[in-house]
Structures are given as structure tokens and as C-alpha cells.
Amino acid sequence: WSFEYGAIILGAFICGAAIALLMEPNNIVPGGLTGLAMICKDLLGVPMGVVLVVLNFPLIVLGWRHLGGKGMFLRTLVGVLVMALSIDLVPLATESWTQDRLLVIFYGGLLSGVGLGLVFWGRGTTGGTDIVGRLLNLWLDVSVGQAILAINILVFGLAAFIYGLEQAAVALMLSFAATRTLDSVMHGLVATRSAMVVTQHPRAVRDSVRRHLGRSVTLMPAEGGFSNLPSTMLYV
């Protein structure tokens, strides 16, 4: 329990610091509600962390009621509050690191990916688009990925209109770098995966895997632990 919340706090702080020291000073908008919070901050003059909490709080409540209960509510609330505080307070202690676009993409993507990976390790979230995506999937039968993509297209479109095409292009590249880093943190640097499939139709599954995935398959005899019936396990 303490390890999970520690990972959420550390990860959310890293994400907030990356935004405060690299993205916000260079008008590089992150995706999702964080990007909307940055746009609102620049247009209305309200601290970005405050806007982030205001935008996320109703979503957190909806997530509590419809998605994950009390545990989801507390973990998301901690992630959002820590990230919001770090966004507003870190710049008071130090200045922006760099204005070099390449360094902003590299370090911004690296820190964002590592931070999100720690948050997800702690079974938490930083709110925003993942909650919206899951709610839309629940209510409208829209896939989570499609909902998040639509929101990010809107955010990056607004960023291009307000800050210019160059900043929007840099934001897209930074988002890609962050996603790749997150995948490495969550799943390791090696892309190899294995699956064990227990089935009563091993040859049909084997032929399908060969035909559609181009993968080798090893067949092994198996026995049901409850039914004690013979079966076949495919190692892919």
C-alpha cells in the first residue's frame, strides 16, 4: 500500500516537474486535460495547477461512482493533486532548463514517460483523458483509444491555433517520445512476449497463429486442474 502511493507521488511529481520546467516555458502543450489547463492558464491568467484540479475533480468523482470505487478515487486524487502542486511550485524553486527544441522533446518525453510509468505501477492515474476515455467507453460504446485520440486531436489543434504550428509539432513529437518511454518502463526494453493458450482445438489455433502472426508454436499436453480432463497447451 505505502509502496503504491509512494510510486504515485513520485511519478506525479516527475510529470509535473517536466511540464513546469520544459513544456510550459516553451509553450509545448501536453495532451489531454493537462494541455487544456495550460491553454486556460495562458488565456485566463489562472495558475495551471488550479485549472488542472478544477477540470479533473468532476471526472474523479464520476470515476469513483462508475469505474473503480474508493481506491480509484483516492489514487487518482493523489496523482492529480501532486502533479498540480509540482506544476505551480517547482518553477518557484528553479528556472526553466532549456529552450532547445530537441532537448525539450528528449527530456520532456523521458521524464513524462518515467513519471507516468511510476504512477501506473502504483495503480494510479493522473486523471484526465484516461478517465474520459473509460467513461465514454462505458456510456457510448466508444473505444478508450478512440476517445483519447479525439481529445488529443482537439487539444493539439487548439495549441496549433494559439501557439503556432511549430509548437504543436514539437508537442506531438514529445508525446511520441513519452509514449515510447512509458512502454519501456511498463514492459521493459525487450519487445518479446510469450503466451500460453489452453484449448480443445490446438490445431486450429496453431494454424491461425502461423497464418496471421507468422509465429512458431509448441504444443504440450495438459490436464485441467479442476476438471482433470486432458487438453493441449500452445506455447507461442
Side-chain angles (χ1 to χ4, degrees), residues 6-95:
I8 293 171
I9 291 171
L10 178 59
F13 174 80
I14 292 173
C15 288
I19 294 169
L21 298 177
L22 293 166
M23 301 181 208
E24 186 180 8
N26 294 287
N27 293 328
I28 306 303
V29 175
L33 291 190
T34 308
L36 286 178
M38 184 183 295
I39 293 172
C40 290
K41 174 254 182 186
D42 289 338
L43 294 179
L44 304 176
V46 182
M48 183 177 170
V50 174
V51 179
L52 188 64
V53 173
V54 170
L55 291 176
N56 271 289
F57 189 76
L59 295 176
I60 298 173
V61 174
L62 288 173
W64 180 12
R65 296 183 59 183
H66 299 286
L67 296 177
K70 182 179 178 181
M72 181 267 183
F73 173 80
L74 291 176
R75 285 181 169 86
T76 304
L77 183 63
V78 169
V80 170
L81 289 177
V82 171
M83 190 167 75
L85 286 172
S86 61
I87 288 173
D88 286 345
L89 297 181
V90 166
L92 301 178
T94 184
E95 298 180 354

Side-chain angles (χ1 to χ4, degrees), residues 2-190:
S2 59
F3 171 79
E4 290 178 349
Y5 277 91
I8 293 171
I9 291 171
L10 178 59
F13 174 80
I14 292 173
C15 288
I19 294 169
L21 298 177
L22 293 166
M23 301 181 208
E24 186 180 8
N26 294 287
N27 293 328
I28 306 303
V29 175
L33 291 190
T34 308
L36 286 178
M38 184 183 295
I39 293 172
C40 290
K41 174 254 182 186
D42 289 338
L43 294 179
L44 304 176
V46 182
M48 183 177 170
V50 174
V51 179
L52 188 64
V53 173
V54 170
L55 291 176
N56 271 289
F57 189 76
L59 295 176
I60 298 173
V61 174
L62 288 173
W64 180 12
R65 296 183 59 183
H66 299 286
L67 296 177
K70 182 179 178 181
M72 181 267 183
F73 173 80
L74 291 176
R75 285 181 169 86
T76 304
L77 183 63
V78 169
V80 170
L81 289 177
V82 171
M83 190 167 75
L85 286 172
S86 61
I87 288 173
D88 286 345
L89 297 181
V90 166
L92 301 178
T94 184
E95 298 180 354
S96 173
W97 284 353
T98 180
Q99 293 182 334
D100 185 280
R101 292 285 187 261
L102 184 59
L103 293 178
V104 170
I105 293 170
F106 177 79
Y107 287 113
L110 179 66
L111 292 174
S112 296
V114 170
L116 284 174
L118 288 172
V119 171
F120 293 160
W121 266 353
R123 296 193 299 151
T125 75
T126 56
T129 51
D130 52 346
I131 297 179
V132 176
R134 291 169 64 186
L135 288 172
L136 291 178
N137 175 257
L138 180 67
W139 294 336
L140 303 178
D141 197 27
V142 176
S143 75
V144 176
Q146 288 175 337
I148 292 176
L149 177 62
I151 295 170
N152 283 334
I153 289 175
L154 172 63
V155 172
F156 289 132
L158 286 173
F161 179 76
I162 295 172
Y163 303 114
L165 291 175
E166 181 179 342
Q167 276 79 3
V170 173
L172 286 171
M173 289 186 283
L174 191 150
S175 178
F176 175 78
T179 301
R180 298 298 296 175
T181 304
L182 174 61
D183 288 342
S184 297
V185 171
M186 296 298 295
H187 305 298
L189 296 176
V190 179

